[in-house]
Amino acid sequence: MLFAHDTEISLAAAVQLVNTAEEPDTLATVADLDAHYADYGYTGRHDRTRAELDEVRALRPRLRTLLTSTRDEAVDIVNAMLAEARALPSSRGTTAGTGTCTPSTPTGRSWSASSSRPRWR
């Protein structure tokens, strides 16, 4: 499956973040988080605090679950994340076996997208 360059970078950053939880844990300090952000060109908010580091570290198990889930499991996980963040759109369902989902938009209309499940190693 081909992804746009920015999507590839985001996926690589997510995989690397998850992998920092493996022994030895390589995301132990604010400096480690600074380096992770720099490695992937992150330009968003970065407080450089222990609280932020703890929040990012707490994401790793859930992100690992998402990255290693089946497509159908991923839909439920992403929908839960979107609902918690009060973000739209969220998927209203998938057509089993097709990779097609029908998310709702803020206007209540829907659209379809089709994709294959990426393989994570």
Side-chain angles (χ1 to χ4, degrees), residues 105-117:
T105 64
T107 61
R109 293 186 221 138
S110 54
W111 55 274
S112 294
S114 183
S115 65
S116 298
R117 181 174 172 258

Side-chain angles (χ1 to χ4, degrees), residues 94-113:
T94 63
T95 305
T98 67
T100 301
C101 64
T102 310
S104 62
T105 64
T107 61
R109 293 186 221 138
S110 54
W111 55 274
S112 294

Side-chain angles (χ1 to χ4, degrees), residues 3-103:
F3 293 107
H5 177 72
D6 60 333
T7 302
E8 288 179 1
I9 297 297
S10 295
L11 290 170
V15 169
Q16 180 57 34
L17 180 62
V18 165
N19 289 340
T20 65
E22 298 295 316
E23 290 297 326
D25 190 319
T26 56
L27 189 64
T29 67
V30 172
D32 294 337
L33 183 58
D34 290 343
H36 177 76
Y37 284 163
D39 288 347
Y40 292 97
Y42 180 74
T43 59
R45 182 177 141 205
H46 181 26
D47 297 336
R48 292 178 173 81
T49 64
R50 182 64 197 201
E52 178 186 38
L53 174 64
D54 291 344
E55 289 174 0
V56 171
R57 288 173 52 88
L59 291 173
R60 298 181 300 180
R62 193 168 186 197
L63 191 53
R64 177 179 295 280
T65 298
L66 173 63
L67 293 175
T68 59
S69 66
T70 66
R71 185 200 66 232
D72 290 341
E73 292 167 339
V75 169
D76 292 335
I77 295 166
V78 169
N79 283 342
M81 290 176 170
L82 290 171
E84 288 169 18
R86 302 174 69 88
L88 291 176
S90 67
S91 174
R92 291 187 293 155
T94 63
T95 305
T98 67
T100 301
C101 64
T102 310

